[in-house]
Amino acid sequence: MKAEKKFAIYDEETGERLGEIPAGSTVETPEQKRLKREIAESKVNQKFFARSECGKFFWSLYYPEEGYFMDVSDAVLSRIIYLMTYLPYDKNYLVIREDVAMPYRPMRKDDVKRVLGLTRQWFDNFWNSLMQTGVITEQENGKLVVCDRFRRGKLGTRDKKDMSAMKIFDNCVRYLYENTTTKSHRYLTYLYRLIPYINASYNVFCSNPEETDRSKIKWLTAREMCTILGLDESNETRVVNTLFKLSFIDKNGDSRSVIKMLQDVKNGETRRFIAINPQFYQGYCITPAEATTLMQNFLLEDREVFDNETS
């Protein structure tokens, strides 16, 4: 058998022989080891920060050119998103448990009525509409199976082929649904409808959501967003003010706004723009490090002046 080739290692200052290493090995200095350790710790801290601030999330996959579930009514869509918070990590059907000491079990139709808090008449109307969407299917055994447009876990390349994906966070969705009026749910649905326009890297509404160069982002004004939603431009102020009032209690017990309003003046006209709280939903391109920066910037203040010459 051919002997393995080795190289001797010497201390540069003393000339002392420190030992041998196999050929092809990589030698790291103490400084390199320290930097590598700090980078690894930083990544862990960033992931922990993002997880602790946002909590659990599920993926929503969609075709940007088709809009966001445009064939589903506002009322049904807001309830569908809420029900997705009951989607487990490793299964394609909804689950629920009676309390934290009990194991999860498949969610049934009666459970849906209970968690949504609807009367029998309203629930029957909702259920019929839900079954027509195909997003959730009731099996013979009562299980509520979710289509592949929603899931948890890591997405593969095939999952995102020709599609875009959005991380939507359980804590914010549940709080907003459970602590706001039915009327407010409609405004919440506006933000879901605008998901195809959220920039995948910077979490702002724009007409070029795949753009990674911040200076080239074409921000959408609140007026343009109203047009996309099919609302008259005269509703701009009411829509923005109502969205700004939407808030939730985060995992640390702090009250947070769902949106941040930014504005600038161009040619004498005041324009308003909207950024979304990354604790609500985030673009699929955003790494834990970027999510940390986005959250820290968003949480600095809820309103700010935005100096940007948007065409």
Side-chain angles (χ1 to χ4, degrees):
M1 176 181 269
K2 187 176 179 181
E4 183 181 24
K5 189 175 182 180
K6 296 183 178 181
F7 292 96
I9 304 176
Y10 295 88
D11 187 303
E12 290 184 353
E13 296 183 358
T14 65
E16 177 185 2
R17 183 185 173 101
L18 301 177
E20 296 180 339
I21 61 170
S25 300
T26 301
V27 180
E28 293 182 339
T29 66
E31 177 65 14
Q32 289 173 323
K33 290 182 179 179
R34 182 186 66 78
L35 289 174
K36 181 183 286 188
R37 184 170 60 252
E38 288 181 356
I39 291 172
E41 291 175 351
S42 175
K43 289 183 178 179
V44 170
N45 290 337
Q46 289 162 353
K47 287 184 178 180
F48 176 78
F49 179 86
R51 189 178 298 117
S52 64
E53 290 291 329
C54 295
K56 292 169 54 182
F57 69 87
F58 58 89
W59 291 103
S60 175
L61 283 78
Y62 59 93
Y63 294 99
E65 65 278 5
E66 295 180 0
Y68 194 77
F69 292 97
M70 299 306 293
D71 56 342
V72 179
S73 71
D74 289 350
V76 173
L77 180 58
S78 68
R79 290 163 186 154
I80 285 176
I81 298 298
Y82 176 76
L83 289 175
M84 290 307 121
T85 66
Y86 291 91
L87 183 65
Y89 182 83
D90 55 349
K91 297 178 176 64
N92 69 336
Y93 57 86
L94 303 180
V95 298
I96 195 170
R97 58 181 176 179
E98 311 307 326
D99 58 60
V100 294
M102 299 290 289
Y104 284 99
R105 61 171 176 78
M107 179 180 272
R108 311 292 182 182
K109 182 178 179 179
D110 286 344
D111 296 315
V112 174
K113 177 182 179 299
R114 176 167 54 84
V115 299
L116 291 179
L118 299 175
T119 64
R120 172 55 62 183
Q121 179 181 354
W122 280 102
F123 177 73
D124 288 342
N125 291 335
F126 161 73
W127 188 259
N128 291 333
S129 298
L130 175 65
M131 292 299 101
Q132 292 175 14
T133 67
V135 175
I136 295 176
T137 304
E138 185 180 23
Q139 303 294 295
E140 290 184 3
N141 58 8
K143 283 185 179 180
L144 303 177
V145 176
V146 177
C147 71
D148 59 6
R149 299 282 289 271
F150 295 97
R151 65 186 70 179
R152 291 195 196 269
K154 187 175 181 180
L155 293 181
T157 304
R158 291 180 61 186
D159 295 320
K160 296 197 294 287
K161 186 177 181 181
D162 301 324
M163 300 183 77
S164 289
M166 189 66 56
K167 301 174 186 175
I168 305 180
F169 292 86
D170 292 11
N171 180 67
C172 183
V173 170
R174 285 197 180 185
Y175 186 91
L176 288 170
Y177 183 88
E178 295 169 0
N179 294 276
T180 55
T181 64
T182 302
K183 183 178 180 180
S184 296
H185 291 172
R186 184 180 68 191
Y187 287 93
L188 188 59
T189 304
Y190 291 163
L191 296 179
Y192 295 141
R193 298 288 190 203
L194 290 167
I195 279 179
Y197 297 91
I198 198 75
N199 185 271
S201 299
Y202 297 103
N203 245 48
V204 296
F205 293 115
C206 62
S207 61
N208 52 342
E210 298 297 326
E211 180 58 63
T212 57
D213 185 338
R214 188 180 179 89
S215 65
K216 296 180 180 178
I217 293 177
K218 299 177 180 178
W219 292 62
L220 286 178
T221 65
R223 186 168 301 174
E224 290 170 331
M225 290 164 58
C226 283
T227 301
I228 291 171
L229 294 169
L231 304 173
D232 191 273
E233 292 181 357
S234 61
N235 293 315
E236 176 191 353
T237 299
R238 176 173 56 84
V239 170
V240 170
N241 289 341
T242 303
L243 289 176
F244 189 76
K245 290 177 183 177
L246 289 177
S247 63
F248 64 99
I249 303 299
D250 68 12
K251 293 171 67 65
N252 298 319
D254 297 319
S255 179
R256 300 296 185 193
S257 297
V258 173
I259 68 167
K260 175 192 266 186
M261 190 172 67
L262 310 99
Q263 65 182 37
D264 74 352
V265 177
K266 183 176 183 180
N267 297 327
E269 178 186 4
T270 299
R271 303 177 303 170
R272 291 187 287 187
F273 307 88
I274 292 177
I276 201 78
N277 189 329
Q279 292 172 299
F280 182 20
Y281 57 68
Q282 298 175 14
Y284 70 90
C285 291
I286 297 173
T287 66
E290 292 165 342
T292 300
T293 301
L294 281 173
M295 281 184 280
Q296 290 172 335
N297 290 340
F298 189 96
L299 300 180
L300 286 177
E301 55 181 293
D302 288 323
R303 294 176 183 264
E304 67 180 34
V305 175
F306 178 62
D307 181 18
N308 183 46
E309 281 297 305
T310 307
S311 57

